């Protein structure tokens, strides 16, 4: 499992921390003890795994690598 930060939502798909507090999360979550996970994918999963978005809104190293290939 990835790094867990108490009170923060982790992606329910890749298990990486999203950086968003559970109280501020707009989507649906599931809780397993103190671990809080999103039901939907994080932005990185939506872009790089499921291709439901075209680009990450932050400084994603994977998006930067794709820019270099173009």
């Amino acid at each position: 499992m990835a790094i867990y930060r108490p009170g923060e939502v982790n992606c329910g798909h890749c298990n990486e921390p999203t950086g968003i507090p559970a109280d501020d999360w707009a989507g649906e979550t599931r809780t397993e003890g103190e671990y809080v996970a999103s039901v939907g994918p994080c932005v990185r999963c939506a872009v790089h795994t499921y291709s439901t978005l075209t680009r990450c809104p932050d400084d994603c190293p994977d998006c930067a690598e794709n820019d270099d290939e173009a």
Side-chain angles (χ1 to χ4, degrees):
M1 181 174 285
I3 300 168
Y4 170 70
R5 295 184 188 122
E8 185 175 308
V9 176
N10 283 31
C11 175
H13 297 261
C14 69
N15 295 322
E16 291 296 322
T18 62
I20 301 171
D23 293 339
D24 294 340
W25 187 257
E28 187 178 351
T29 59
R30 66 177 189 273
T31 305
E32 300 169 13
E34 291 184 12
Y35 179 79
V36 179
S38 64
V39 172
C42 67
V43 172
R44 271 188 98 180
C45 283
V47 172
H48 300 289
T49 302
Y50 301 106
S51 299
T52 54
L53 296 174
T54 57
R55 186 165 174 84
C56 294
D58 55 7
D59 295 331
C60 171
D62 295 328
C63 286
E65 286 177 17
N66 291 339
D67 286 345
D68 292 340
E69 293 173 2

